[in-house]
């Protein structure tokens, strides 16, 4: 069976040989389509390149914004809670819709889900750049987050379908991660440069990369799809949970933990969380199949993704505000301060697949989380007048966690689940990451809300992130055992 015929049978459509028996005009069109599909199957690099660019714009939109926050605050006249919503509006919808996006990926195919998400993402980016007020900016950020949610699991599913061999898939995931690394590395400096002109330009840089990804996607094969019912009740409950938690955490900084609206938000989130758990346990078509968590690898991947994002996403947020508001750096100077942290990840990422094959995922993940813990603790304990150059070098310890933690965890996750559930598993994993990022911004922002206690809040924030990373590092010691002893899911 050729790759083309296999793809055709999976999707339930005729292959090239059957198409040639049709009329001349239809036959020519079908042959052209068949050749395009065959090229996509035989050259999985098309899928890899499109997925890489997708990961690039999704990551860039998160990291490029941090250095522009003080400028947004001045131009739109917003407080700390407003800045938190600008950041968390994106992350909130990203996290809340990822689970359904995984099911959507499996239902309509990774190629279609990725393309639709990219189109919406580009349009929402333009709306962010043109937004005249905080309300419209946050609204556009919410749309961006929803589009990113569709793109992330579908990009990983594209790799799963294009690289069925586990070893080649692991290397493809490492290369795919370079999209995030490139965005993380260039984002702070690019954001600083663009902010010298206008913070609005940081949203328009998504557009050329998005268009290029769509062009590459047109050259890939159509993805297989499966009939997967949509869990509307579960999705609504997930949005309420995330919205309640985020709102409550953000408003705690402005109104206090005992404020009625804060308590009400947390209560609503708790009720919604209980409802979500019951729906997933008893529903006929849950969007989070509990059988996924029979694999210890899946459980550890979810926890590792959460812990990683608390530190890796929370640190730039608090340090960007600190360096500009308390140390007097410009947006460009702040971006430059983050360069060593981001560059170290870019240098190491191409080698992570081989390092994992040689030393094992347990060693890499534990080492990365311990490096993150050390960096966060040391930075939190430094005196307030420590030279910025010293801080910049120490942040490299946190940067090491990127290539040492994420690529091996993602590769093992895709290997631990059947191909038909690649989208759902990717959605669950990335949801845990985005929840970690969203809660980090909400909680850390609340701790930084008062200028009088800003430095104390920064230190507490970093120590919280360090404690979570250290606890997960000990948990990751089971990673190697999980890989060999966990019962694989039925394929």
């Amino acid at each position: 069976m050729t790759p083309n015929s296999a793809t055709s049978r999976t999707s339930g459509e005729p292959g090239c040989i059957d198409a040639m028996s049709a009329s001349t005009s239809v036959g020519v069109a079908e042959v052209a389509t068949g050749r395009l599909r065959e090229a996509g199957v035989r050259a999985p690099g098309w899928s890899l390149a499109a997925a890489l660019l997708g990961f690039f714009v999704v990551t860039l939109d998160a990291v490029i914004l941090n250095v522009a926050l003080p400028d947004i605050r001045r131009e739109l006249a917003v407080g700390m809670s407003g800045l938190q919503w600008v950041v968390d509006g994106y992350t909130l919808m990203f996290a809340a819709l990822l689970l359904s996006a995984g099911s959507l990926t499996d239902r309509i195919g990774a190629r279609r889900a990725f393309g639709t998400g990219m189109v919406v993402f580009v349009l929402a980016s333009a709306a962010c750049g043109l937004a005249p007020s905080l309300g419209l900016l946050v609204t556009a950020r919410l749309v961006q987050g929803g589009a990113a949610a569709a793109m992330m699991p579908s990009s990983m599913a594209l790799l799963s379908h294009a690289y069925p061999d586990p070893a080649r898939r692991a290397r493809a995931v490492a290369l795919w991660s370079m999209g995030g690394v490139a965005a993380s590395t260039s984002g702070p400096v690019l954001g600083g440069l663009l902010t010298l002109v206008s913070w609005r330009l940081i949203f328009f840089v998504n557009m050329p990369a998005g268009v290029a990804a769509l062009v590459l996607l047109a050259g890939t094969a159509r993805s297989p799809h499966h009939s997967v019912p949509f869990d509307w009740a579960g999705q609504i409950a997930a949005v309420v949970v995330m919205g309640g938690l985020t709102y409550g955490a953000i408003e705690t900084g402005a109104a206090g933990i005992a404020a009625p609206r804060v308590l009400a938000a947390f209560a609503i989130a708790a009720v919604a969380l209980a409802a979500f758990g019951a729906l997933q346990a008893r529903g006929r078509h849950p969007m989070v199949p509990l059988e996924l968590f029979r694999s210890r690898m899946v459980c550890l991947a979810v926890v590792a993704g959460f812990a990683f994002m608390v530190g890796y996403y929370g640190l730039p947020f608090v340090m960007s505000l600190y360096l500009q508001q308390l140390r007097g750096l410009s947006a460009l100077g702040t971006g430059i301060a983050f360069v060593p942290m981001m560059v170290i990840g870019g240098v190491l990422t191409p080698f992570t697949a081989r390092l994992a094959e040689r030393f094992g995922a347990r060693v890499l993940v534990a080492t990365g989380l311990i490096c993150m813990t050390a960096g966060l603790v040391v930075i939190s304990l430094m005196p307030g007048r420590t030279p910025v150059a010293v801080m910049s070098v120490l942040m490299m310890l946190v940067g090491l966690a990127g290539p040492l933690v994420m690529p091996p965890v993602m590769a093992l996750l895709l290997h631990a689940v059947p191909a038909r559930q690649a989208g759902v598993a990717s959605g669950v994993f990335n949801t845990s990451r985005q929840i970690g990022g969203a809660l980090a911004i909400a909680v850390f922002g609340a701790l930084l809300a008062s200028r009088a206690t800003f430095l104390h809040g920064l230190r507490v924030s970093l120590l919280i992130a360090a404690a979570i990373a250290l606890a997960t590092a000990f948990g990751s010691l089971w990673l190697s055992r999980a890989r060999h002893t966990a019962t694989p899911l039925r394929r």
Side-chain angles (χ1 to χ4, degrees), residues 378-452:
V378 173
I379 294 171
S380 70
L381 298 179
M382 287 190 305
R385 302 306 301 177
T386 300
V388 173
V390 174
M391 292 185 175
S392 182
V393 171
L394 289 173
M395 285 192 290
M396 292 174 67
L397 290 170
V398 179
L400 283 171
L404 293 179
V405 176
M406 285 297 99
V409 167
M410 288 185 291
L412 287 171
L413 175 68
L414 290 177
H415 184 58
V417 300
R420 62 183 174 82
Q421 289 186 320
V424 173
S426 300
V428 172
F429 171 69
N430 284 292
T431 295
S432 71
R433 297 178 68 236
Q434 298 308 315
I435 290 175
L439 291 182
I441 299 304
V443 174
F444 297 173
L447 292 171
L448 303 177
S450 173
R451 185 178 180 86

Side-chain angles (χ1 to χ4, degrees), residues 84-104:
Q84 288 173 277
W85 278 114
V86 171
V87 178
D88 262 355
Y90 176 81
T91 313
L92 169 62
M93 293 306 293
F94 200 163
L97 297 180
L98 265 175
L99 296 175
S100 291
S103 298
L104 179 69

Side-chain angles (χ1 to χ4, degrees), residues 1 6 65 68 86 120 131 133 191 205 225 232 245 261 266 280 294 301 318 357 359-360 375 387 400-401 456 466 486:
M1 180 182 293
L65 182 63
V86 171
V120 176
S133 65
V205 297
H225 53 85
W232 286 104
L245 284 176
R261 66 177 182 268
F266 286 139
Q280 301 312 294
R294 291 208 306 258
V318 299
E357 292 172 1
F359 298 105
L400 283 171
H456 175 72

Side-chain angles (χ1 to χ4, degrees), residues 106-124:
D106 291 336
R107 184 172 187 176
I108 69 174
R111 184 173 181 262
R112 183 180 298 177
F114 182 86
T116 302
M118 181 61 79
V119 169
V120 176
F121 188 88
V122 169
L123 294 176

Side-chain angles (χ1 to χ4, degrees), residues 67-469:
V67 297
L69 291 175
D71 286 73
I72 295 174
R73 188 176 194 173
R74 285 191 294 269
E75 181 172 329
L76 299 183
V78 300
M80 177 62 72
S81 61
L83 292 182
Q84 288 173 277
W85 278 114
V86 171
V87 178
D88 262 355
Y90 176 81
T91 313
L92 169 62
M93 293 306 293
F94 200 163
L97 297 180
L98 265 175
L99 296 175
S100 291
S103 298
L104 179 69
T105 294
D106 291 336
R107 184 172 187 176
I108 69 174
R111 184 173 181 262
R112 183 180 298 177
F114 182 86
T116 302
M118 181 61 79
V119 169
V120 176
F121 188 88
V122 169
L123 294 176
S125 296
C128 287
L130 298 172
S133 65
L134 175 66
L136 292 176
L137 176 58
V138 172
T139 299
R141 291 283 287 168
L142 291 170
V143 177
Q144 264 192 320
M151 291 164 57
M152 183 62 77
S154 57
S155 69
M156 295 182 72
L158 281 173
L159 298 183
S160 181
H161 300 317
Y163 296 90
D165 177 69
R168 294 188 65 199
R169 184 191 303 143
R171 292 188 176 93
V173 169
L175 291 173
W176 171 80
S177 300
M178 288 299 295
V181 171
S184 299
T185 303
S186 63
V189 176
L190 181 60
L193 286 170
L194 294 174
T195 303
L196 293 176
V197 181
S198 172
W199 62 265
R200 297 178 181 278
L201 295 179
I202 65 176
F203 294 106
F204 290 113
V205 297
N206 296 325
M207 302 179 72
V211 171
L214 291 172
V215 172
L216 289 167
L217 189 68
T220 64
R222 290 189 62 179
S223 304
H225 53 85
H226 312 280
S227 178
V228 180
F230 192 85
D231 183 9
W232 286 104
Q235 177 60 83
I236 293 172
V239 171
V240 174
V241 171
M242 282 300 304
L245 284 176
T246 304
Y247 179 85
I250 289 177
E251 292 302 310
T252 295
I257 189 65
R261 66 177 182 268
V262 172
L263 296 176
F266 286 139
I268 291 172
V271 172
L273 180 61
F276 180 81
L279 289 167
Q280 301 312 294
R282 302 177 184 179
R284 294 181 59 188
H285 305 291
M287 62 182 181
V288 182
L290 297 184
E291 66 175 10
L292 283 175
F293 297 97
R294 291 208 306 258
S295 167
R296 191 180 299 176
M297 180 60 242
V298 173
C299 296
L300 287 172
V302 168
V303 175
F306 176 91
F308 171 81
M309 287 296 284
V310 169
Y312 202 80
Y313 200 66
L315 176 72
F317 175 77
V318 299
M319 292 301 292
S320 292
L321 294 172
Y322 167 73
L323 292 174
Q324 294 185 65
Q325 294 185 5
L326 269 66
R327 302 300 297 269
L329 268 67
S330 65
L332 178 58
T334 300
I336 293 173
F338 284 109
V339 168
M341 170 184 169
M342 302 305 179
V343 168
I344 190 67
V347 171
L348 189 58
T349 294
F351 305 101
T352 53
R354 290 182 173 84
L355 288 173
E357 292 172 1
R358 181 173 181 179
F359 298 105
R362 178 184 63 85
V363 174
L364 259 65
V365 174
T367 301
L369 291 172
I370 290 173
C371 287
M372 172 178 280
T373 301
L376 292 169
V377 170
V378 173
I379 294 171
S380 70
L381 298 179
M382 287 190 305
R385 302 306 301 177
T386 300
V388 173
V390 174
M391 292 185 175
S392 182
V393 171
L394 289 173
M395 285 192 290
M396 292 174 67
L397 290 170
V398 179
L400 283 171
L404 293 179
V405 176
M406 285 297 99
V409 167
M410 288 185 291
L412 287 171
L413 175 68
L414 290 177
H415 184 58
V417 300
R420 62 183 174 82
Q421 289 186 320
V424 173
S426 300
V428 172
F429 171 69
N430 284 292
T431 295
S432 71
R433 297 178 68 236
Q434 298 308 315
I435 290 175
L439 291 182
I441 299 304
V443 174
F444 297 173
L447 292 171
L448 303 177
S450 173
R451 185 178 180 86
T453 59
F454 186 97
L455 190 58
H456 175 72
L458 181 147
R459 289 171 174 164
V460 173
S461 299
L462 297 182
L463 289 175
I464 290 173
I468 294 173

